[in-house]
Amino acid sequence: MPGKLKVKIVAGRHLPVMDRASDLTDAFVEVKFGNTTFKTDVYLKSLNPQWNSEWFKFEVDDEDLQDEPLQITVLDHDTYSANDAIGKVYIDIDPLLYSEAATVISGWFPIYDTIHGIRGEINVVVKVDLFNDLNRFRQSSCGVKFFCTTSIPKCYRAVVIHGFVEELVVNEDPEYQWIDRIRTPRASNEARQRLISLMSGELQRKIGLKVLEMRGNAVVGYLQCFDLEGESGLVVRAIGTACTLDKLSSPATFLPACNSPSKEMKESPLVHPPSHGCRSTHNSPIHTATGSRLTQSFSVSVPTLIYTGMGSGSAGKEGGPFKALLRQQTQSALEQRGGSPHRFCRRREFPFLTLTAFPPGLLVHVGGVVSARSVKLLDRIHNPDEPETRDAWWAEIRQEIKSHAKALGCHAVVGYSESTSICEEVCILSASGTAAVLSPRFLQEGTVDGSLEQRVEENLPVGCGFCHIPYDELNMPFPAHLTHCYNCRKQKVPDVLFTTIDLPTDAVVIGKGCLIQARLCRLKKKAQAEANATAISNLLPFMEYEVHTQLMNKLKLKGMNALFGLRIQITVGENMLMGLASATGVYLAALPMPGGIQIAGKTPSDGSYEQHISHMQKKINDTIAKNKELYEINPPEVSEEIIGSPIPEPRQRSRLLRSQSESSDEVTELDLSHGKKDAFVLEIDDTDAMEDVHSLLTDVPPPSGFYSCNTEIMPGINNWTSEIQMFTSVRVVRLSSLNLTNQALNKNFNGLCENLLKSLYFKLRSMTPCCLCHVNFTVSLPEDELIQVTVTAVAITFDKNQALQTTKAHAEKSLQRASTDNEELLQFPLELCSDSVPSHAFPAAKEHPESASSNSGTPAAQRATSVDYSSFADRCSSWIELIKLKAQTIRRGSIKTTVTVEKASPMGDGNFRNRSAPPCAGSTVGVVKMTPLSFIPGAKITKYLGIINMFFIRETTSLREEGGVSGFLHTFIAEVFAMVRAHVAALGGNAVVSYIMKQCVFMENPSKNQAQCLINVSGDAVVFVRESDLEVMSTQQPAVNCQPTCTGEVTT
Amino acid sequence: MTSELDIFVGNTTLIDEDVYRLWLDGYSVNDAVALRVRSGILEQTGATAGVLQSDTMDHYRTFHMLERLLHAPPKLLHQLIFQIPPSRQALLIERYYTFDEAFVREVLGKKLSKGTKKDLDDISTKTGITLKSCRRQFDNFKRVFKVVEEMRGSLVDNIQQHFLLSDRLARDYAAIVFFANNRFETGKKKLQYLSFGDFAFCAELMIQNWTLGAVDSQMDDMDVDLDKEFLQDLKELKVLVADKDLLDLHKSLVCTALRGKLSVFSEMETNFKNLSRGLVNVAAKLTHNKDVRDLFVDLVEKFVEPCRSDHWPLSDVRLFLNQYSVSVHSLDGFRHQTLWDRYMGTLRGCLLRLYHD
């Protein structure tokens, strides 16, 4: 008996009126876990019943504890007819299964009904007692911590990063079962919600098992998605990075952080390494893989591009070489696949990390973005209920990614993610990541493919090392212009760098960053099966190419040279494909200054045409100049001598990497480069090209006071104030079906995205100066002529005055870095072992009041120095002089702290003391913050309470009455937020970090007055403490357990 | 390309005060957009009309969703769907329950029934307040009335507790409820010069002194109803005018005391009996509901207008009323001193407030 789950139903409030006669309700509650159900008494005639039930006890396997959700149903008692359901609450008890997280779940939960939405609230208390059980054939993985955060969570330290974990489970979709024809929509929705909850639990447990097997204790960057395949099933899949994490405050690595006996018991799975088994679970509706079978599947392999330094390729020569590329890149085949390898064996094959930010020293070099796509037909899955086929599909794609990385001279892929787009029976699987060279310090032997050449240079210069090319310059995988690094002048760097990761905290950036998007639509003929798949896969390479060109053009137009957080989404619809790429452009000091964009006309005979071209050229040049000013990009003028002689041009030939699975023996050798570098030539040979240039210029910069990026932090801003506003915005537009052309489509789509952004800026205008961070666009094509765009982001305010100051200081710091490589290096390992997570010297400080006081002293000192430096900057006119000055100061020894502290706190410091809001006085509902970022500005996360992973369905048959589609979805999203907040508050938390809305599937049928929506969200529940409060606490009583003021309900 | 769906949901609900005001004022989305355009917001922010339209729609939708909660403000505080900072919650509630002077003057003292609701069209045309806004204000009055009507204890406290209004607004609502319950006539032409503030002032005095709650707050009945017993007793005051000797004595006492102090002494002297008769008769008639309703009409007819026609300055009115009340204590044959004070104390306050142009 490994666990006892205890549940108490306390009370309800704001219940709906269920009895029209009395305007009251006779409510009671059913508590269900697994196959056991308990009931409370009926509380007669009240909308605010006080059940105050006994403790309902469920004695269950820990395996079930992980898989099953606790299901609480509130009903209205009816003597004569069937009891009416008021609504349900599903509680994921996973956070109670590992120590350090929550010990009790207690609070008010919204009672949710899939037809009526939230109908009142219920107060529930849940506890779990876990018993130790050593001699079991392990199926559970209690104790493994899960984090959605794609970096090492604050207040933890990574001891070992074990590597990639993945799993998927498949089940029949209840909506497509025969029984769905006769049951009510409510029953069907609930069956679906419950099933997904169950599958998520099972998936998490299985991933946990893999982690235990790798001797890890946590999964970081856990990304779970579900694919609604329709007839062929419902897939829940997840990827993550297995790690061994160590709580920063705990004295030793292997000891549990807490000493109470009950917690130690919880920790036990970690102490006893498990042996893995393959017992299948009988009572679960999900089928585990038991063997391998032959599967026949239709598969189209799609060529992949690698985005790195292709900047100098001429876009105008599309006609020739690019077509050649396509010819042999698009290959479709009916593949007879062999048996897939055993599912457990392939784990370490893929040296992938889902992390986007890394402990200092881990990331050595970045090669560029690698991505792979594949078009599959879902109705050809032989055994739809078994996961093998999908496993094989993903394995194939991952293999491709791996080989791309290899070609870039990299042994690992970081910032890795996977996604799908499904339309009827066609499914596009996509994976992308950033090829990288990692330092083996943190990695387990198994993770890194030993056969690869590891070019790990131990004494790397900080701030530019990751830009240095990992590949052999004489045998480059694609055309790129290499130069000596503008920062250290020792290694080679490409002229442009694209990555999917966050900007490394130590990267030297000039000016600010900005959100860059490439948007694209392509019409496609409606087709069936293979023909459709072939058509799609024929279009994909064009789209990839065009998305890339757009990104490159826009990047140059911004006067920047690197993209971070690149995410390319290709969405498939009935009659079109949509591509949307978002990234954050920055100017990396290490990379060369980007050349301008030159326009060349094809027919130079016409005079007016010439004039037009030159007019355009002027406009482009003006835009570049304006952008440089706007984003404060003023790189120091560097003469050629300092940089060193230009590197001899590498071989002027390039190879676009192709997927290994292709059997074509034709060699692709494209010449994408043109004579002299520097300028990027756009040839205008037809109206299309003209349109493209025009569309380049239509992107308007955000209004003053606004910045936007899709990464965690905005490069160039580091003085965040504490006000944050997370939001989701959804738009659906109907295209007029008349004479749709690609051009018109593109224009519409562009307008849609631009208007959406404009609306956001307008709505948030009261927050300026502020930055929209982690702007995440998702496109879907729910119907023929409908385009749906969903945006989730967070607006964070910052202090404008200080911004000016720090950017100055920042620029100087970068210069100073360049000159003091060695000194920095000496300091580097120290920094690494003392505190691997930036800016969190604090947990330790809590234990030692003395060090706390000395710590809190630093920010002041740092501010003082940075002020000092900006005044230096004013006086120093020449760069060299500046370096000299810096070098002198460094020798005096005062600057070292400056660098560490400043780098350490991306959220700025000191500034919030006066600003922190008063703790929700007067309100009875505690404030729960939500943010897609991994941190909360102006606050320290003191505790992770567990993962939030929720799935909701809402349906209506009275769409008009609920305010039409907008009213319906607005309410639903607000309800989802409310339920997330309620769960976090019940866990004792006051924020959700790394929040993401992974799916928002909206379907409508206005003629029938119906609509349905599915939403899947996830994030990490945390406890945070304002830095201002922390200071008070540390001076008063160092041993205080940091509970937020608003959530006082947590007791053990 | 047409927009089918367009929403924005923040973790903290965004409230735009300007749009909220437009919504409360009952403007349609299009009118609100037009008004916002006129305010120059497009120039200030560089936004387009489309953006403004979408923003306005969004706010309207939010307000519409919040309206249900605003009907029972404590619900707004406890609900989980909208995360709104407490200061904003207070603002939402306060503004929602704020009413227009012009509107309240139209319905003050009227029965808050369906019949009155039907007249809102006319009120809207007359006052220039949109029908929608009229409906909201009317429904607010009615809602507050329904909730506190049967409640014990202080009217203002009850309103404040159940609607979380500011002290000032709660007092105004107390007056509205009090007037609605007693159906005081306020719409007559001769009462048009009076503001809502005048009536609210009188209502407060009457609640404090003339209701059951005024005597004993533990009593079954409360602030909303006038003390019936007290009204019955008021008949006893009639002796002050019915008894010729008493009336003459009263007059001479007042005249002696005020001689040389009033600019309108002679007018006072000639009018004393009329005025006194008027004031006492008003008291004596209050046993009938119909006459209670006409209280303000009577006061204006019997006291305010005669004084005004003789151009009494306010200071003289004050002096007169004080002396008029006090002198009664010196009338030996008169036994109802406490009753007189309870009546006249309040009436004096009301009359002074009502006495203006």
Side-chain angles (χ1 to χ4, degrees), chain A residues 697 736 1044:
Chain A
L697 295 166
S736 45

Side-chain angles (χ1 to χ4, degrees), chain B residues 240 243-253 272-273:
Chain B
L240 282 174
D243 187 329
K244 184 115 185 3
D245 298 342
L246 218 50
L247 183 61
D248 287 338
L249 186 56
H250 192 186
K251 180 179 173 182
S252 67
L253 280 170
F272 182 87
K273 285 189 181 169

